[in-house]
Amino acid sequence: METTSPSATDEAAAEAGRKVDGYLLAAFPWYGLDEAFTGPRWLMRVGAAADGTVEHGATGHGEEPTIKVEPPQDERFAVVVTVASRPVRRSGDGTGVLEATSVSTAAWLAGSGLLAQTWPTQMDRTLRQDWLDQQTMLAWELADDLGGGNWSELMLPVDGVPTSFAYRESEYGWVLAGSASEGPEGVHIGAYGRGMSAYGLGFSVIKDLTTYEG
C-alpha cells in the first residue's frame, strides 16, 4: 500500500497555506457562489501587481477541470473571478501607468480562464497553443465590446441584490461579467463554467476562506 511521506504532506500543507495567504493579502472582498451551491469549493490563484498588490483572483466550484475530458461537457464546474476596482494609476515602481479595471477586465479574465481549461476535441497537442493564442485574442476583443451582439443580459443576485451581467455562450462553456458594490471601491465579478448552467447562480462575499480547499 502506497503511503504519503510526512515531507510530502508538509509540502502540500505549506502550499495550501501560501495559496490562502495570497487571498488574505487582498484589500477587497472575494466573491464565490452563494450558499445555494452545496458542492466542492476550491481556491485557484491570485494575480498581483509588480509591487505585490493583489489585483484579482478566482475561486472554483464543482469538479476541478482536468482540461482533457472527452467530451469536455462532461465536466461540471463554475469559476468566479473577483477583480479589484482600480482607477488609472501609477505603477508600483513609478515607471509607468496602469490602466483602470472595469467589467471588461473581469470578462477578459473569465474568457481567458475558460480557454485555459479547454482542449478542443481531436486537436493535436502541437496545435493547441496556436489555437489558444488565437482564441485568447478573440476573447479580448469580445470583452472590449460588452455592448455588442455577442453578449446578452442576465440578471443574477449579488449579495441578494439583482444585478445585471453581460453573458455569452460558446461551444466550450459560458462567460459572464458584471460589478458588485461591496466595500468602498467595489469589485468587478467575472465567471465562467461548463456543465453547470449559469442561469440560477448567485454570488456572495466569501466570509470564510477555509470553506475553500487549497
Side-chain angles (χ1 to χ4, degrees), residues 159-186:
D159 295 317
V161 179
T163 303
S164 174
F165 286 87
Y167 173 78
R168 69 178 178 87
E169 295 180 356
S170 75
E171 61 183 299
Y172 308 116
W174 52 263
V175 173
L176 60 79
S179 291
S181 58
E182 178 74 17
E185 293 184 321

Side-chain angles (χ1 to χ4, degrees), residues 1-13:
M1 179 177 177
E2 186 176 336
T3 59
T4 303
S5 68
S7 59
T9 302
D10 292 344
E11 288 177 7

Side-chain angles (χ1 to χ4, degrees), residues 61 100 117 197 209:
H61 309 77
Q117 303 296 347
S197 173
L209 282 169

Side-chain angles (χ1 to χ4, degrees), residues 76-102:
R76 291 177 52 81
F77 68 89
V79 172
V80 180
V81 180
T82 307
V83 184
S85 179
R86 308 285 197 207
V88 175
R89 61 210 186 278
R90 301 290 296 180
S91 60
D93 57 12
T95 60
V97 175
L98 300 177
E99 293 184 3
T101 59
S102 65

Side-chain angles (χ1 to χ4, degrees), residues 115-174:
L115 291 170
Q117 303 296 347
T118 299
W119 195 303
T121 304
Q122 306 301 324
M123 177 167 285
D124 184 84
R125 180 183 296 272
T126 59
L127 298 177
R128 183 176 182 271
Q129 188 58 52
D130 290 339
W131 172 86
L132 188 58
D133 292 342
Q134 184 181 60
Q135 293 298 312
T136 298
M137 180 59 69
L138 177 60
W140 172 250
E141 293 173 356
L142 288 169
D144 206 34
D145 185 27
L146 294 179
N150 291 295
W151 299 87
S152 60
E153 184 183 38
L154 181 61
M155 297 295 293
L156 296 173
V158 176
D159 295 317
V161 179
T163 303
S164 174
F165 286 87
Y167 173 78
R168 69 178 178 87
E169 295 180 356
S170 75
E171 61 183 299
Y172 308 116
W174 52 263

